[in-house]
Amino acid sequence: MNKTLLLIPLFLGGILFSQKRPAQKPKIDFRTDFKKISDEIMLNSTAYENLRDLTQNIGARFSGTSSYDRAVEWAEKKFEENGGSAIRKQNVKIPVWERGREQFQISSGQGKWKNIKALSMGGSEGTSGNDLTGEILYVPDLVAFNKLTTAEVRDKIVFFNYAFDQTLINPAEAYLDAGRYRWSAPSLASRKSAKAIITRSATSAFNDVPHTGSMYYDSDDKRKIPALTIGAKSADELEILLKKQSVTGKLNTTSGTKGETVVHNVIAEIPGNRSKSIILIGAHLDSWDISEGAHDNGAGVVQVLEVLRIFKKLEIQNQHTLRFVLFANEENGVHGGETYAAQVKKSGEKHLFAIESDAGGYSPRGISLDMIPQRRRQILASKQLFLPYGVYDFSQETAAQDILPLKKLGIPLAELVPDMQRYFDIHHTSEDTFDKINRRELNLGAVAIAQMVYLIDNSW
Protein backbone atom coordinates (compact mmCIF):
# COMPACT_ATOMS: atom_id res chain seq x y z
CA MET A 1 0.00 0.00 0.00
CA ASN A 2 1.16 3.49 -0.81
CA LYS A 3 2.44 5.13 2.41
CA THR A 4 1.25 8.48 1.13
CA LEU A 5 -2.33 7.18 1.18
CA LEU A 6 -1.89 6.13 4.79
CA LEU A 7 -0.90 9.65 5.72
CA ILE A 8 -3.92 11.32 4.07
CA PRO A 9 -6.48 10.47 6.85
CA LEU A 10 -4.04 11.63 9.49
CA PHE A 11 -3.41 14.82 7.55
CA LEU A 12 -7.12 15.51 7.08
CA GLY A 13 -7.86 14.65 10.69
CA GLY A 14 -5.30 17.16 11.83
CA ILE A 15 -6.91 19.83 9.70
CA LEU A 16 -10.39 19.00 10.96
CA PHE A 17 -9.39 18.98 14.62
CA SER A 18 -7.45 22.18 14.22
CA GLN A 19 -10.56 24.09 13.08
CA LYS A 20 -12.22 26.26 15.72
CA ARG A 21 -15.47 24.84 16.95
CA PRO A 22 -18.55 27.10 16.62
CA ALA A 23 -18.93 29.30 19.64
CA GLN A 24 -21.55 27.93 22.00
CA LYS A 25 -24.47 30.23 22.72
CA PRO A 26 -24.16 31.35 26.34
CA LYS A 27 -26.60 29.57 28.59
CA ILE A 28 -29.27 31.90 29.92
CA ASP A 29 -29.76 32.00 33.67
CA PHE A 30 -33.44 32.98 33.59
CA ARG A 31 -33.90 33.02 37.35
CA THR A 32 -31.07 35.48 37.85
CA ASP A 33 -32.12 37.64 34.92
CA PHE A 34 -35.76 37.66 36.02
CA LYS A 35 -34.60 38.93 39.41
CA LYS A 36 -32.51 41.70 37.80
CA ILE A 37 -35.53 42.83 35.78
CA SER A 38 -37.76 42.80 38.83
CA ASP A 39 -35.30 44.63 41.08
CA GLU A 40 -34.72 47.43 38.57
CA ILE A 41 -38.44 48.01 37.99
CA MET A 42 -39.43 47.79 41.65
CA LEU A 43 -36.66 50.20 42.68
CA ASN A 44 -36.45 52.65 39.77
CA SER A 45 -39.61 52.41 37.69
CA THR A 46 -40.94 55.58 36.08
CA ALA A 47 -44.36 54.04 35.36
CA TYR A 48 -46.25 55.65 38.24
CA GLU A 49 -45.00 59.16 37.53
CA ASN A 50 -45.58 58.69 33.81
CA LEU A 51 -49.17 57.72 34.61
CA ARG A 52 -49.59 60.75 36.83
CA ASP A 53 -48.40 62.95 33.96
CA LEU A 54 -50.66 61.25 31.40
CA THR A 55 -53.83 61.33 33.49
CA GLN A 56 -53.40 64.69 35.21
CA ASN A 57 -51.93 66.77 32.39
CA ILE A 58 -53.78 65.23 29.46
CA GLY A 59 -56.69 63.42 31.08
CA ALA A 60 -59.40 61.93 28.89
CA ARG A 61 -57.98 60.75 25.55
CA PHE A 62 -60.93 59.90 23.36
CA SER A 63 -59.99 59.11 19.77
CA GLY A 64 -60.73 61.94 17.38
CA THR A 65 -60.28 64.71 19.96
CA SER A 66 -57.51 67.24 20.45
CA SER A 67 -56.64 65.62 23.79
CA TYR A 68 -55.91 62.34 21.99
CA ASP A 69 -53.61 64.22 19.65
CA ARG A 70 -51.77 65.61 22.69
CA ALA A 71 -51.46 62.08 24.04
CA VAL A 72 -49.82 61.01 20.79
CA GLU A 73 -47.25 63.79 21.14
CA TRP A 74 -46.71 62.76 24.76
CA ALA A 75 -46.15 59.13 23.74
CA GLU A 76 -43.62 60.06 21.05
CA LYS A 77 -41.67 62.09 23.61
CA LYS A 78 -41.73 59.27 26.17
CA PHE A 79 -40.57 56.71 23.61
CA GLU A 80 -37.63 58.98 22.78
CA GLU A 81 -36.78 59.61 26.45
CA ASN A 82 -36.66 55.87 27.11
CA GLY A 83 -34.34 55.09 24.22
CA GLY A 84 -36.70 53.84 21.55
CA SER A 85 -35.71 53.98 17.90
CA ALA A 86 -37.67 54.13 14.63
CA ILE A 87 -40.33 56.18 16.46
CA ARG A 88 -43.25 56.84 14.14
CA LYS A 89 -46.98 57.38 13.81
CA GLN A 90 -49.30 55.11 11.85
CA ASN A 91 -52.39 56.66 10.28
CA VAL A 92 -55.69 55.19 11.44
CA LYS A 93 -59.03 56.25 9.95
CA ILE A 94 -61.85 56.30 12.48
CA PRO A 95 -65.47 57.47 12.76
CA VAL A 96 -65.87 60.60 14.89
CA TRP A 97 -68.45 60.04 17.61
CA GLU A 98 -69.48 62.87 19.92
CA ARG A 99 -71.36 62.44 23.18
CA GLY A 100 -72.88 65.88 23.32
CA ARG A 101 -75.64 66.48 25.86
CA GLU A 102 -77.64 63.69 27.49
CA GLN A 103 -80.59 63.55 29.86
CA PHE A 104 -82.90 60.80 31.04
CA GLN A 105 -85.98 61.44 33.17
CA ILE A 106 -88.87 59.32 34.41
CA SER A 107 -92.42 60.13 35.51
CA SER A 108 -94.81 57.78 37.28
CA GLY A 109 -97.93 59.68 36.31
CA GLN A 110 -97.90 62.45 38.93
CA GLY A 111 -96.67 65.08 36.53
CA LYS A 112 -93.19 65.39 38.02
CA TRP A 113 -90.06 64.35 36.19
CA LYS A 114 -87.20 62.74 38.07
CA ASN A 115 -83.67 62.96 36.68
CA ILE A 116 -81.76 59.67 36.43
CA LYS A 117 -77.98 59.63 35.97
CA ALA A 118 -77.34 58.20 32.52
CA LEU A 119 -74.70 57.99 29.82
CA SER A 120 -75.13 57.47 26.11
CA MET A 121 -73.45 54.35 24.85
CA GLY A 122 -70.53 54.97 22.54
CA GLY A 123 -71.76 54.97 18.95
CA SER A 124 -75.36 55.69 19.87
CA GLU A 125 -77.37 58.10 17.78
CA GLY A 126 -79.27 60.65 19.84
CA THR A 127 -82.56 62.50 19.68
CA SER A 128 -81.13 65.57 17.92
CA GLY A 129 -81.74 67.57 21.06
CA ASN A 130 -85.48 66.86 21.01
CA ASP A 131 -87.46 65.19 23.76
CA LEU A 132 -88.29 61.55 23.09
CA THR A 133 -90.98 60.19 25.38
CA GLY A 134 -92.50 56.77 25.72
CA GLU A 135 -93.75 54.15 28.11
CA ILE A 136 -90.92 52.16 29.68
CA LEU A 137 -91.12 48.41 29.13
CA TYR A 138 -89.16 46.35 31.67
CA VAL A 139 -87.44 43.24 30.31
CA PRO A 140 -85.25 41.06 32.57
CA ASP A 141 -83.17 39.42 29.85
CA LEU A 142 -82.91 38.54 26.17
CA VAL A 143 -84.79 35.27 26.64
CA ALA A 144 -87.83 37.22 27.83
CA PHE A 145 -87.37 39.84 25.11
CA ASN A 146 -87.32 37.27 22.34
CA LYS A 147 -90.75 36.07 23.47
CA LEU A 148 -92.26 39.54 23.04
CA THR A 149 -94.12 40.43 19.85
CA THR A 150 -93.46 43.55 17.82
CA ALA A 151 -96.85 44.87 18.90
CA GLU A 152 -95.84 44.58 22.56
CA VAL A 153 -92.56 46.44 21.97
CA ARG A 154 -93.68 49.06 19.46
CA ASP A 155 -93.06 52.68 20.55
CA LYS A 156 -91.79 51.60 23.95
CA ILE A 157 -88.53 52.53 25.67
CA VAL A 158 -87.19 49.06 26.41
CA PHE A 159 -85.40 48.73 29.74
CA PHE A 160 -83.06 45.75 30.23
CA ASN A 161 -82.09 45.21 33.87
CA TYR A 162 -79.67 42.33 33.42
CA ALA A 163 -77.25 42.27 36.34
CA PHE A 164 -73.56 41.40 36.41
CA ASP A 165 -73.46 37.73 37.47
CA GLN A 166 -71.83 37.81 40.90
CA THR A 167 -71.53 34.00 40.96
CA LEU A 168 -68.92 34.06 38.18
CA ILE A 169 -65.62 34.31 40.02
CA ASN A 170 -63.73 35.56 36.97
CA PRO A 171 -65.19 39.07 36.57
CA ALA A 172 -64.15 39.20 32.92
CA GLU A 173 -66.63 36.39 32.21
CA ALA A 174 -69.40 38.27 34.03
CA TYR A 175 -68.57 41.42 32.06
CA LEU A 176 -68.81 39.64 28.72
CA ASP A 177 -72.11 38.10 29.80
CA ALA A 178 -73.64 41.44 30.83
CA GLY A 179 -72.02 43.30 27.95
CA ARG A 180 -74.26 41.55 25.42
CA TYR A 181 -77.05 43.91 26.40
CA ARG A 182 -74.96 46.94 25.60
CA TRP A 183 -73.63 45.63 22.29
CA SER A 184 -76.61 43.93 20.70
CA ALA A 185 -79.79 45.19 22.40
CA PRO A 186 -80.21 48.42 20.38
CA SER A 187 -80.54 46.59 17.06
CA LEU A 188 -82.72 43.85 18.53
CA ALA A 189 -85.10 46.42 20.02
CA SER A 190 -85.14 48.48 16.84
CA ARG A 191 -86.32 45.51 14.81
CA LYS A 192 -89.38 45.28 17.05
CA SER A 193 -90.05 49.01 16.62
CA ALA A 194 -88.89 50.23 20.04
CA LYS A 195 -88.22 53.96 20.43
CA ALA A 196 -85.06 53.62 22.52
CA ILE A 197 -83.36 51.34 25.02
CA ILE A 198 -82.04 51.75 28.55
CA THR A 199 -79.66 49.15 30.00
CA ARG A 200 -78.22 48.47 33.41
CA SER A 201 -74.47 49.21 33.38
CA ALA A 202 -72.16 46.21 33.04
CA THR A 203 -70.62 46.62 36.47
CA SER A 204 -69.79 44.57 39.55
CA ALA A 205 -70.62 47.59 41.75
CA PHE A 206 -73.96 48.33 43.43
CA ASN A 207 -73.67 52.13 43.34
CA ASP A 208 -75.38 54.64 41.07
CA VAL A 209 -72.48 55.38 38.70
CA PRO A 210 -73.36 54.76 35.03
CA HIS A 211 -70.77 52.99 32.85
CA THR A 212 -70.41 53.85 29.18
CA GLY A 213 -69.01 51.60 26.44
CA SER A 214 -69.42 50.82 22.78
CA MET A 215 -72.55 49.54 21.10
CA TYR A 216 -73.07 48.64 17.47
CA TYR A 217 -75.94 48.94 15.04
CA ASP A 218 -76.38 46.18 12.51
CA SER A 219 -75.58 47.23 8.95
CA ASP A 220 -79.17 46.66 7.84
CA ASP A 221 -80.78 48.65 10.67
CA LYS A 222 -83.38 50.98 9.23
CA ARG A 223 -83.76 52.88 12.52
CA LYS A 224 -80.83 53.65 14.78
CA ILE A 225 -82.51 54.15 18.11
CA PRO A 226 -80.90 55.96 21.08
CA ALA A 227 -79.20 53.77 23.69
CA LEU A 228 -78.42 54.89 27.25
CA THR A 229 -77.12 53.13 30.33
CA ILE A 230 -77.83 53.79 34.02
CA GLY A 231 -76.21 52.75 37.30
CA ALA A 232 -77.08 49.58 39.20
CA LYS A 233 -78.92 51.38 42.00
CA SER A 234 -81.16 53.34 39.62
CA ALA A 235 -81.79 50.22 37.57
CA ASP A 236 -83.04 48.24 40.55
CA GLU A 237 -85.19 51.12 41.76
CA LEU A 238 -86.72 51.51 38.31
CA GLU A 239 -87.51 47.80 38.11
CA ILE A 240 -89.28 47.92 41.48
CA LEU A 241 -91.30 50.95 40.38
CA LEU A 242 -92.27 49.35 37.07
CA LYS A 243 -93.59 46.27 38.84
CA LYS A 244 -96.03 48.52 40.70
CA GLN A 245 -97.17 50.96 38.00
CA SER A 246 -96.56 52.29 34.53
CA VAL A 247 -93.67 54.70 34.07
CA THR A 248 -92.98 57.16 31.28
CA GLY A 249 -89.43 57.92 30.19
CA LYS A 250 -88.07 61.02 28.50
CA LEU A 251 -84.72 61.14 26.67
CA ASN A 252 -82.94 64.17 25.27
CA THR A 253 -79.51 63.56 23.77
CA THR A 254 -77.32 65.09 21.07
CA SER A 255 -74.90 62.21 20.55
CA GLY A 256 -74.02 60.97 17.09
CA THR A 257 -71.35 60.11 14.56
CA LYS A 258 -69.98 63.13 12.68
CA GLY A 259 -67.98 61.82 9.74
CA GLU A 260 -64.42 60.45 9.84
CA THR A 261 -60.94 61.61 10.76
CA VAL A 262 -57.38 60.28 10.99
CA VAL A 263 -55.70 59.51 14.31
CA HIS A 264 -52.50 57.61 15.01
CA ASN A 265 -50.99 54.51 16.50
CA VAL A 266 -47.59 55.34 18.02
CA ILE A 267 -44.72 52.90 17.44
CA ALA A 268 -41.12 52.53 18.66
CA GLU A 269 -38.55 49.74 18.48
CA ILE A 270 -35.39 48.21 19.84
CA PRO A 271 -33.70 46.47 16.86
CA GLY A 272 -32.89 42.78 17.23
CA ASN A 273 -29.28 41.64 17.44
CA ARG A 274 -29.90 38.32 15.68
CA SER A 275 -33.29 38.42 13.98
CA LYS A 276 -35.66 40.94 12.45
CA SER A 277 -38.62 38.88 13.67
CA ILE A 278 -40.84 41.05 15.87
CA ILE A 279 -42.02 40.68 19.43
CA LEU A 280 -44.84 43.18 19.95
CA ILE A 281 -45.58 44.79 23.31
CA GLY A 282 -48.78 46.83 23.19
CA ALA A 283 -51.53 48.79 24.94
CA HIS A 284 -54.18 51.23 23.77
CA LEU A 285 -53.56 54.93 24.25
CA ASP A 286 -57.15 56.15 24.07
CA SER A 287 -59.69 56.34 26.90
CA TRP A 288 -63.36 57.21 27.10
CA ASP A 289 -64.30 60.89 26.92
CA ILE A 290 -65.61 60.92 30.50
CA SER A 291 -62.55 59.37 32.11
CA GLU A 292 -58.89 59.89 32.98
CA GLY A 293 -58.50 56.25 31.94
CA ALA A 294 -55.98 55.43 34.66
CA HIS A 295 -56.67 51.69 34.70
CA ASP A 296 -58.20 51.59 31.20
CA ASN A 297 -55.69 51.92 29.77
CA GLY A 298 -53.16 54.36 31.13
CA ALA A 299 -51.73 51.53 33.23
CA GLY A 300 -51.04 49.48 30.12
CA VAL A 301 -49.48 52.46 28.34
CA VAL A 302 -46.93 53.15 31.08
CA GLN A 303 -46.16 49.43 31.47
CA VAL A 304 -45.26 49.32 27.77
CA LEU A 305 -42.96 52.31 28.31
CA GLU A 306 -41.43 50.59 31.32
CA VAL A 307 -40.58 47.45 29.33
CA LEU A 308 -38.77 49.65 26.81
CA ARG A 309 -36.92 51.44 29.62
CA ILE A 310 -35.83 48.23 31.33
CA PHE A 311 -34.36 46.65 28.19
CA LYS A 312 -32.35 49.80 27.52
CA LYS A 313 -31.38 50.44 31.15
CA LEU A 314 -30.06 46.89 31.73
CA GLU A 315 -28.49 46.86 28.26
CA ILE A 316 -30.22 43.59 27.46
CA GLN A 317 -29.06 42.31 24.09
CA ASN A 318 -32.44 41.31 22.70
CA GLN A 319 -32.25 38.71 19.96
CA HIS A 320 -35.40 39.79 18.12
CA THR A 321 -36.77 43.23 17.32
CA LEU A 322 -38.94 44.50 20.14
CA ARG A 323 -41.76 46.67 18.84
CA PHE A 324 -43.75 48.85 21.23
CA VAL A 325 -47.19 49.87 19.95
CA LEU A 326 -49.68 52.24 21.54
CA PHE A 327 -52.93 51.70 19.67
CA ALA A 328 -55.63 54.23 18.80
CA ASN A 329 -59.39 53.78 19.01
CA GLU A 330 -59.70 50.61 21.06
CA GLU A 331 -62.64 51.98 23.02
CA ASN A 332 -64.96 52.71 20.14
CA GLY A 333 -63.93 50.65 17.16
CA VAL A 334 -60.54 48.88 17.46
CA HIS A 335 -59.52 50.52 14.21
CA GLY A 336 -55.97 50.97 15.50
CA GLY A 337 -55.50 47.23 15.97
CA GLU A 338 -57.16 46.39 12.67
CA THR A 339 -55.05 48.92 10.78
CA TYR A 340 -51.85 47.56 12.31
CA ALA A 341 -52.75 43.95 11.45
CA ALA A 342 -53.64 44.92 7.87
CA GLN A 343 -50.23 46.54 7.44
CA VAL A 344 -48.49 43.45 8.86
CA LYS A 345 -50.34 41.25 6.39
CA LYS A 346 -49.47 43.56 3.50
CA SER A 347 -45.79 43.91 4.40
CA GLY A 348 -45.24 40.28 5.35
CA GLU A 349 -43.35 41.26 8.50
CA LYS A 350 -42.77 38.21 10.65
CA HIS A 351 -44.16 38.55 14.16
CA LEU A 352 -42.93 35.96 16.62
CA PHE A 353 -45.21 36.92 19.52
CA ALA A 354 -47.50 39.74 20.71
CA ILE A 355 -48.50 40.64 24.26
CA GLU A 356 -50.83 43.39 25.45
CA SER A 357 -51.77 44.97 28.76
CA ASP A 358 -55.40 46.12 28.84
CA ALA A 359 -57.00 44.83 32.03
CA GLY A 360 -55.98 47.41 34.60
CA GLY A 361 -53.04 48.16 36.84
CA TYR A 362 -53.88 45.74 39.64
CA SER A 363 -51.55 42.97 40.87
CA PRO A 364 -50.64 40.52 38.10
CA ARG A 365 -51.96 37.01 38.60
CA GLY A 366 -51.25 35.38 35.27
CA ILE A 367 -50.73 35.64 31.56
CA SER A 368 -53.40 34.51 29.12
CA LEU A 369 -52.08 32.52 26.15
CA ASP A 370 -53.98 32.54 22.86
CA MET A 371 -51.81 30.31 20.67
CA ILE A 372 -51.36 26.79 19.35
CA PRO A 373 -50.84 24.02 21.94
CA GLN A 374 -47.16 23.57 21.07
CA ARG A 375 -46.37 27.19 21.90
CA ARG A 376 -48.47 27.03 25.08
CA ARG A 377 -46.49 24.02 26.25
CA GLN A 378 -43.21 25.84 25.65
CA ILE A 379 -44.29 28.69 27.92
CA LEU A 380 -45.84 26.41 30.53
CA ALA A 381 -42.52 24.58 30.81
CA SER A 382 -41.14 27.82 32.30
CA LYS A 383 -44.11 28.55 34.56
CA GLN A 384 -42.00 28.07 37.70
CA LEU A 385 -39.93 31.13 36.80
CA PHE A 386 -42.95 33.40 37.31
CA LEU A 387 -44.23 31.96 40.58
CA PRO A 388 -41.95 34.04 42.87
CA TYR A 389 -43.57 37.16 41.35
CA GLY A 390 -47.15 36.13 42.08
CA VAL A 391 -47.86 35.14 38.47
CA TYR A 392 -49.35 31.64 38.40
CA ASP A 393 -52.45 31.55 36.17
CA PHE A 394 -51.66 30.49 32.61
CA SER A 395 -54.99 28.74 32.06
CA GLN A 396 -56.83 31.47 30.17
CA GLU A 397 -56.80 31.54 26.38
CA THR A 398 -57.91 35.03 25.38
CA ALA A 399 -56.14 38.08 23.98
CA ALA A 400 -56.79 41.81 24.20
CA GLN A 401 -58.75 43.55 21.46
CA ASP A 402 -55.91 45.47 19.79
CA ILE A 403 -53.74 42.45 19.05
CA LEU A 404 -56.62 40.05 18.40
CA PRO A 405 -56.69 40.86 14.62
CA LEU A 406 -53.17 39.37 14.46
CA LYS A 407 -54.61 35.98 15.35
CA LYS A 408 -55.82 35.58 11.76
CA LEU A 409 -52.16 35.76 10.72
CA GLY A 410 -51.22 32.88 13.00
CA ILE A 411 -49.30 35.02 15.48
CA PRO A 412 -49.15 33.72 19.09
CA LEU A 413 -50.88 36.18 21.41
CA ALA A 414 -50.78 36.84 25.14
CA GLU A 415 -52.35 39.22 27.63
CA LEU A 416 -51.43 40.26 31.14
CA VAL A 417 -54.04 39.01 33.63
CA PRO A 418 -54.23 41.21 36.73
CA ASP A 419 -56.53 40.64 39.69
CA MET A 420 -59.70 42.18 38.20
CA GLN A 421 -62.09 41.88 41.14
CA ARG A 422 -62.28 45.68 41.52
CA TYR A 423 -61.78 46.58 37.86
CA PHE A 424 -65.41 46.56 36.73
CA ASP A 425 -66.45 48.76 39.64
CA ILE A 426 -64.88 51.71 37.82
CA HIS A 427 -64.47 50.48 34.24
CA HIS A 428 -65.68 53.04 31.64
CA THR A 429 -66.67 55.58 34.29
CA SER A 430 -65.56 58.99 35.48
CA GLU A 431 -64.17 57.22 38.56
CA ASP A 432 -61.32 55.55 36.66
CA THR A 433 -58.81 58.04 38.06
CA PHE A 434 -55.14 58.15 39.00
CA ASP A 435 -55.84 57.88 42.74
CA LYS A 436 -57.20 54.35 42.15
CA ILE A 437 -53.73 53.15 41.08
CA ASN A 438 -51.30 51.48 43.48
CA ARG A 439 -47.66 52.10 42.55
CA ARG A 440 -46.43 48.66 43.60
CA GLU A 441 -49.17 46.76 41.79
CA LEU A 442 -48.58 48.81 38.64
CA ASN A 443 -44.86 48.02 38.72
CA LEU A 444 -45.45 44.31 39.28
CA GLY A 445 -47.49 44.22 36.08
CA ALA A 446 -44.57 45.74 34.17
CA VAL A 447 -42.26 43.15 35.73
CA ALA A 448 -44.42 40.26 34.48
CA ILE A 449 -44.61 41.62 30.93
CA ALA A 450 -40.86 42.32 30.74
CA GLN A 451 -40.05 38.85 32.06
CA MET A 452 -42.34 37.19 29.52
CA VAL A 453 -40.80 39.20 26.68
CA TYR A 454 -37.31 38.24 27.88
CA LEU A 455 -38.31 34.55 28.05
CA ILE A 456 -39.75 34.53 24.53
CA ASP A 457 -36.81 36.49 23.11
CA ASN A 458 -34.31 33.97 24.43
CA SER A 459 -36.17 30.69 24.01
CA TRP A 460 -38.15 30.89 20.75
Side-chain angles (χ1 to χ4, degrees):
M1 181 179 290
N2 191 317
K3 292 182 179 180
T4 302
L5 293 176
L6 291 173
L7 292 173
I8 289 175
L10 297 174
F11 178 72
L12 290 175
I15 291 176
L16 292 173
F17 282 109
S18 68
Q19 301 300 308
K20 290 183 178 180
R21 293 182 179 181
Q24 295 294 315
K25 185 178 178 180
K27 187 175 181 180
I28 304 295
D29 183 350
F30 283 108
R31 291 189 184 279
T32 298
D33 292 345
F34 270 35
K35 185 67 165 62
K36 289 179 181 177
I37 289 170
S38 178
D39 287 353
E40 170 59 27
I41 292 176
M42 298 308 290
L43 290 172
N44 301 310
S45 170
T46 60
Y48 191 72
E49 290 308 316
N50 280 337
L51 185 58
R52 184 197 304 275
D53 187 21
L54 179 63
T55 58
Q56 304 306 291
N57 294 326
I58 296 177
R61 308 171 298 280
F62 193 58
S63 291
T65 64
S66 59
S67 59
Y68 182 79
D69 293 339
R70 292 197 302 274
V72 167
E73 294 175 2
W74 178 92
E76 290 179 293
K77 179 182 176 182
K78 291 297 179 181
F79 274 148
E80 183 177 2
E81 289 176 357
N82 286 286
S85 62
I87 300 169
R88 59 197 184 274
K89 297 186 293 188
Q90 182 179 44
N91 291 349
V92 178
K93 184 181 289 187
I94 65 163
V96 178
W97 182 80
E98 295 178 359
R99 178 174 303 280
R101 184 180 70 254
E102 55 209 352
Q103 184 180 54
F104 174 51
Q105 298 175 299
I106 62 172
S107 172
S108 55
Q110 299 175 0
K112 295 182 179 180
W113 291 100
K114 177 183 177 181
N115 287 317
I116 304 294
K117 294 178 183 178
L119 289 174
S120 295
M121 298 182 199
S124 171
E125 293 299 316
T127 68
S128 301
N130 300 313
D131 288 343
L132 181 155
T133 59
E135 181 184 348
I136 297 178
L137 174 65
Y138 161 68
V139 183
D141 53 37
L142 287 173
V143 174
F145 178 79
N146 290 334
K147 294 177 180 178
L148 296 173
T149 65
T150 297
E152 291 173 305
V153 176
R154 188 184 306 278
D155 292 334
K156 302 291 198 309
I157 296 174
V158 179
F159 165 51
F160 290 96
N161 190 23
Y162 186 84
F164 195 94
D165 188 345
Q166 302 291 343
T167 68
L168 294 174
I169 304 306
N170 182 347
E173 293 180 10
Y175 173 71
L176 291 174
D177 176 53
R180 294 176 298 155
Y181 291 82
R182 192 183 79 211
W183 301 317
S184 62
S187 287
L188 294 174
S190 175
R191 288 179 197 154
K192 290 188 177 182
S193 300
K195 280 188 172 181
I197 73 157
I198 306 294
T199 65
R200 179 195 186 103
S201 292
T203 175
S204 51
F206 292 90
N207 57 26
D208 205 31
V209 178
H211 296 229
T212 191
S214 286
M215 52 75 62
Y216 304 96
Y217 296 110
D218 291 341
S219 59
D220 59 348
D221 281 350
K222 296 179 180 179
R223 297 168 54 251
K224 296 182 178 180
I225 64 176
L228 279 76
T229 181
I230 60 178
K233 183 174 180 291
S234 285
D236 286 338
E237 290 175 351
L238 180 55
E239 177 182 337
I240 291 171
L241 185 62
L242 283 164
K243 287 180 177 179
K244 297 177 180 177
Q245 62 193 89
S246 64
V247 179
T248 300
K250 180 165 65 175
L251 285 67
N252 191 311
T253 68
T254 59
S255 63
T257 300
K258 322 288 185 182
E260 294 182 326
T261 192
V262 173
V263 294
H264 301 94
N265 294 334
V266 191
I267 303 171
E269 295 180 357
I270 302 177
N273 288 285
R274 178 174 62 84
S275 170
K276 292 183 179 179
S277 295
I278 295 163
I279 295 174
L280 185 154
I281 306 98
H284 69 84
L285 183 57
D286 62 314
S287 74
W288 277 103
D289 55 317
I290 59 166
S291 173
E292 289 180 9
H295 277 285
D296 186 20
N297 187 30
V301 168
V302 299
Q303 286 169 342
V304 168
L305 291 170
E306 188 63 16
V307 176
L308 169 58
R309 187 192 73 83
I310 200 71
F311 270 79
K312 299 298 289 188
K313 173 71 175 183
L314 296 181
E315 299 181 343
I316 297 171
Q317 298 301 301
N318 50 291
Q319 303 302 306
H320 306 84
T321 293
L322 305 186
R323 179 173 291 173
F324 305 88
V325 184
L326 300 179
F327 294 95
N329 187 237
E330 189 273 347
E331 296 294 10
N332 64 318
V334 199
H335 290 88
E338 291 173 349
T339 298
Y340 182 85
Q343 181 58 37
V344 170
K345 182 178 181 180
K346 181 179 179 181
S347 66
E349 286 182 316
K350 181 180 179 182
H351 281 57
L352 188 67
F353 177 79
I355 185 169
E356 183 169 4
S357 175
D358 183 20
Y362 298 106
S363 294
R365 292 291 177 253
I367 296 176
S368 180
L369 306 173
D370 188 355
M371 56 191 66
I372 61 174
Q374 178 187 359
R375 287 302 196 189
R376 286 181 58 82
R377 287 193 295 269
Q378 289 174 333
I379 292 176
L380 290 174
S382 300
K383 177 180 178 179
Q384 296 295 321
L385 293 170
F386 294 91
L387 296 183
Y389 305 94
V391 177
Y392 58 85
D393 182 4
F394 293 83
S395 64
Q396 299 183 47
E397 300 183 25
T398 59
Q401 290 296 308
D402 297 296
I403 61 173
L404 196 57
L406 295 172
K407 184 174 183 176
K408 296 178 181 178
L409 305 180
I411 298 168
L413 308 178
E415 180 180 10
L416 181 68
V417 180
D419 185 335
M420 300 179 71
Q421 297 302 333
R422 292 171 288 165
Y423 183 62
F424 293 106
D425 285 5
I426 62 174
H427 181 246
H428 292 181
T429 74
S430 57
E431 296 193 351
D432 182 6
T433 50
F434 177 71
D435 61 289
K436 307 298 194 308
I437 296 285
N438 177 274
R439 181 196 297 266
R440 185 173 175 83
E441 290 183 307
L442 180 70
N443 288 338
L444 284 168
V447 168
I449 299 169
Q451 290 171 336
M452 178 57 74
V453 170
Y454 184 80
L455 174 69
I456 299 299
D457 185 49
N458 287 283
S459 59
W460 283 19

